[in-house]
Amino acid sequence: REDALEAVLSLVESGRTGHALGEAAAAADLANVFHWADALARLLESGDGLVLLACYRHADGLLREAEAKDGELTSGKPQPSLYRHKEERELAVALTLARREAEAFLAAGNFDQAMHAVATLRPYIKAFFTKVSFDPAVIDLRENRLRLVNELLGALSVIGDLAKIEDHAEGA
């Protein structure tokens, strides 16, 4: 899929790779970029990938809407003391672990395992969006939850610039 390749190349070219497969390695070993893009494409064609992409778009939309309405709300890390639901805590822990694992697998060139590490986030993300609200009346909780959503985008973006991925219907 061209969009998966573009997502990987965008991440590599921007220098946001945060692991051993940086710009120099990608330029020296283009085959790794293609293997990475193939693994991303397989994930995106799976049930987990479709759900994760939908969650990525939902999270991105939430942040864009909040920032347009209220200004910059997502800077900084979420504060665990402000978590009110177990789904917030569980997502925060899962994000940290999945991101760390995905980065390590990418650095080792094990792209399928990196995708699997990110796919493990699916139930935590779904539970979070099902249970947690972004009530504008409770400003500190809302801002903290938006920061957690920003962390979610960061964790999902480890495997590629998902903003580059086309709608499945368009890409078919």
Side-chain angles (χ1 to χ4, degrees):
R1 290 176 47 164
E2 287 182 29
D3 59 345
L5 181 59
E6 187 177 343
V8 170
L9 286 172
S10 176
L11 187 66
V12 171
E13 290 171 358
S14 71
R16 292 184 296 152
T17 50
H19 48 74
L21 187 65
E23 290 180 53
D29 190 2
L30 193 55
N32 275 336
V33 172
F34 285 110
H35 291 304
W36 184 355
D38 285 342
L40 178 58
R42 284 191 298 278
L43 173 66
L44 293 171
E45 292 166 0
S46 72
D48 285 337
L50 292 173
V51 170
L52 290 174
L53 185 58
C55 290
Y56 173 88
R57 290 180 174 154
H58 178 65
D60 187 55
L62 276 173
L63 292 179
R64 288 180 189 273
E65 181 181 310
E67 289 174 357
K69 181 179 177 187
D70 303 322
E72 181 70 30
L73 296 173
T74 59
S75 62
K77 296 282 186 185
Q79 300 301 310
S81 62
L82 293 175
Y83 296 155
R84 296 296 180 258
H85 300 285
K86 73 177 177 107
E87 290 81 4
E88 291 169 289
R89 288 185 293 280
E90 289 174 350
L91 178 61
V93 170
L95 288 173
T96 300
L97 295 174
R99 184 175 192 152
R100 191 175 303 147
E101 285 182 3
E103 287 174 346
F105 284 127
L106 288 171
N110 194 335
F111 305 110
D112 287 319
Q113 283 301 109
M115 300 307 146
H116 176 73
V118 171
T120 64
L121 292 172
R122 179 182 176 175
Y124 301 102
I125 296 169
K126 286 183 70 176
F128 173 78
F129 282 126
T130 300
K131 179 70 175 187
V132 175
S133 70
F134 294 84
D135 185 358
V138 188
I139 295 169
D140 58 341
L141 293 182
R142 180 172 179 265
E143 288 178 1
N144 201 58
R145 289 171 180 164
L146 289 170
R147 287 185 189 108
L148 185 56
V149 168
N150 196 45
E151 293 285 312
L152 165 62
L153 289 179
L156 292 177
S157 294
V158 165
I159 58 171
D161 182 353
L162 298 182
K164 303 285 185 191
I165 301 300
E166 299 173 1
D167 286 334
H168 196 271
E170 290 176 14

